Amino acid sequence: MEIKTLSAVDVVIVAAGRGSRARTASSPNCPKQYADLNGRPVLSWTLDAFLAHTKIARVVTIIHPDDADLYQAALTAVTVRPTAGLPQIIEAVPGGASRQASVCAGLEALAAAHPNASAHPLPDRTVLIHDAARPFISRAVIDRVIEAISPTAGAIAALPVSDTLKRANPTGAIVETVSRDGLWRAQTPQGFPLAPLLALHRKARNTGEATFTDDAAIAEWGQLEMTLVEGESHNIKLTTAEDLIMAQFMAQSRTIENTRAEMETRVGSGFDVHKFGPGTSVWLCGIEIPHNQTLLGHSDADVGLHALTDAILGAIGDGDIGQHFPPSDPKWKGARSDQFLADAARRVSALGARIINVDVTLLCEEPKVGPHRPRMRQAIADILKIEVERVGVKATTTEGLGFTGRREGIASMASATISRPNTTVTVTD
Ligand code: MG
């Protein structure tokens, strides 16, 4: 048999239910998937888990037609920033009268919106179906489900039943103890090859079979092979108001962990030298200082800003000043160096990162830097749009040694620390 590999993974998030059992005093008119969970809607937590996953291509949410505004609010509260390699969000699809009808509508939307059909034809696609009200789904469980799907078999997350099971009569009297051997509690995500699942949903719709409570049941009905992978006990489905109270505690501890896991600190260093020539002033760290010589260079030769620009570019691994502003390009002749530094700061912002602090050391016998230090720090802070207390400017001589000691030029060293999102860590791990 030919071995085929399933490529792109799409996700259907089922958020069309009305969820009246979970309505609380604080959100009486709000279905559970939009209830507040530690400051933002439940659905935004669920979306975060899938939108941070690099194996997923597209995410579509099925919503009740009355919930368009709630959905938009949840989407706004998502914390994962769109980045190359992360999933695309497809416009929400209105759900049907039942969960089954809603999932079917989502599958039809995925089959119809098919921007890259030649690279990922329908038969090679995989789909995960997930309940919006399971916000604590982890990357590990998503991975296990994805790995267990094949072109001919689906997989669901599930947990073995651990409580002893009793059968009772309508008056509450126990009739028997039921063996729990081989019994599992089905969770979501439930994953399938897209084409056969869509075919089964269409068949069920056309033949009036409308009683399936999950997609694994439809797969069983259609004799599509299904396997179990290990779910997680904290992958709970928020059903009652009590569930929401427990979820608040889980969300609070998750938020603290994620803040630590999502950001990482990077450090960069830079070095630059410019030599003296005839002139009446030097540019140093963004300000002009009267002097009996000037610094020679293609631009304004601000040795301090050049070293600092390279330090910031180094911290984000984005080349160096010469690559972005080649000295061979006449456009930069005589240019003010503040624009080089501002460009580096823009590159930091574009990554969702921020500058924690920067530090510049000037190595020279003259001019004396001390009297100008406050203005230099302020100039750098203004260019980088950060607080002045995050900027260090220092100077040293080299005790008369070397080219700086011989007053032939000025050298500068700089370092920069930035905090940036760690895109390799998902928000739910
Ligand atoms: Mg330079």
Side-chain angles (χ1 to χ4, degrees):
M1 187 187 118
E2 184 195 1
I3 295 176
K4 281 165 67 182
T5 313
L6 292 163
S7 47
V9 180
D10 295 327
V11 177
V12 174
I13 295 184
V14 190
R18 307 322 290 144
S20 54
R21 275 183 296 171
R23 293 185 190 193
T24 60
S26 61
S27 50
N29 301 313
C30 184
K32 63 197 172 187
Q33 61 273 30
Y34 300 109
D36 181 276
L37 186 54
N38 203 29
R40 57 193 183 97
V42 168
L43 176 61
S44 72
W45 291 75
T46 311
L47 284 167
D48 269 346
F50 291 95
L51 292 175
H53 200 301
T54 51
K55 286 183 191 154
I56 292 167
R58 301 181 298 169
V59 175
V60 63
T61 306
I62 315 303
I63 65 171
H64 190 281
D66 294 348
D67 295 344
D69 291 346
L70 290 168
Y71 171 71
Q72 277 308 324
L75 208 53
T76 305
V78 160
T79 66
V80 177
R81 296 178 186 85
T83 309
L86 291 183
Q88 174 200 354
I89 300 171
I90 296 182
E91 193 177 344
V93 171
S98 64
R99 184 184 194 282
Q100 183 184 330
S102 292
V103 172
C104 189
L107 298 176
E108 295 285 7
L110 286 174
H114 215 238
N116 199 3
S118 56
H120 298 300
L122 192 61
D124 292 346
R125 297 193 80 91
T126 297
V127 64
L128 305 182
I129 318 289
H130 186 73
D131 298 326
R134 292 186 191 270
F136 300 118
I137 179 65
S138 73
R139 184 186 183 92
V141 172
I142 295 171
D143 281 340
R144 283 200 284 273
V145 173
I146 290 174
E147 279 159 25
I149 303 167
S150 78
T152 55
I156 70 168
L159 281 179
V161 172
S162 56
D163 295 330
T164 297
L165 298 177
K166 303 291 185 188
R167 191 184 312 279
N169 69 19
T171 64
I174 292 174
V175 176
E176 64 169 335
T177 298
V178 180
S179 168
R180 63 189 181 208
D181 280 0
L183 289 186
W184 294 71
R185 292 185 290 141
Q187 299 186 332
T188 67
Q190 303 192 340
F192 308 85
L194 176 55
L197 183 69
L198 177 57
L200 287 174
H201 265 279
R202 284 173 177 165
K203 186 178 164 192
R205 184 180 59 200
N206 295 339
T207 57
E209 296 276 352
T211 56
F212 301 111
T213 55
D214 72 355
D215 298 279
I218 290 195
E220 290 157 36
W221 171 71
Q223 297 185 324
L224 180 66
E225 188 190 331
M226 293 297 298
T227 56
L228 301 173
V229 300
E230 194 185 350
E232 282 175 348
S233 57
H234 62 241
N235 182 25
I236 57 169
K237 185 174 184 180
L238 307 184
T239 307
T240 63
E242 211 179 2
D243 293 338
L244 270 174
I245 293 168
M246 185 168 69
Q248 298 295 348
F249 290 105
M250 293 169 68
Q252 281 164 21
S253 68
R254 191 63 62 94
T255 301
I256 294 166
E257 286 167 26
N258 287 346
T259 305
R260 288 195 197 116
E262 277 175 27
M263 301 302 285
E264 62 181 323
T265 304
R266 304 272 183 99
V267 174
S269 67
F271 179 77
D272 195 30
V273 172
H274 282 268
K275 69 177 174 184
F276 281 126
T280 57
S281 69
V282 291
W283 281 90
L284 278 180
C285 292
I287 65 169
E288 189 173 22
I289 300 172
H291 191 54
N292 57 10
Q293 298 184 92
T294 193
L295 288 172
L296 303 179
H298 194 71
S299 64
D300 65 8
D302 189 328
V303 67
L305 292 194
H306 292 184
L308 182 53
T309 301
D310 266 357
I312 293 171
L313 293 173
I316 57 173
D318 189 2
D320 61 22
I321 191 171
Q323 177 190 332
H324 299 303
F325 303 97
S328 55
D329 187 338
K331 184 162 60 170
W332 308 119
K333 184 166 173 54
R336 287 284 315 280
S337 298
D338 57 350
Q339 60 192 308
F340 306 153
L341 187 60
D343 177 76
R346 270 193 300 275
R347 289 169 188 273
V348 170
S349 298
L351 295 172
R354 68 183 186 88
I355 295 168
I356 297 175
N357 77 306
V358 297
D359 188 22
V360 180
T361 302
L362 297 167
L363 296 88
C364 57
E365 303 289 332
E366 56 183 18
K368 291 294 168 223
V369 168
H372 306 289
R373 188 200 321 263
R375 281 180 60 220
M376 290 177 168
R377 292 179 70 205
Q378 191 61 55
I380 290 171
D382 290 346
I383 298 165
L384 295 176
K385 299 188 174 73
I386 59 177
E387 300 90 341
V388 72
E389 54 92 13
R390 295 179 185 273
V391 179
V393 172
K394 314 186 303 299
T396 182
T397 71
T398 52
E399 299 286 336
L401 300 172
F403 67 86
T404 55
R406 292 189 297 271
R407 295 171 158 78
E408 294 167 1
I410 300 181
S412 176
M413 305 188 305
S415 64
T417 310
I418 71 154
S419 175
R420 62 167 290 172
N422 180 352
T423 51
T424 62
V425 174
T426 74
V427 292
T428 54
D429 271 356

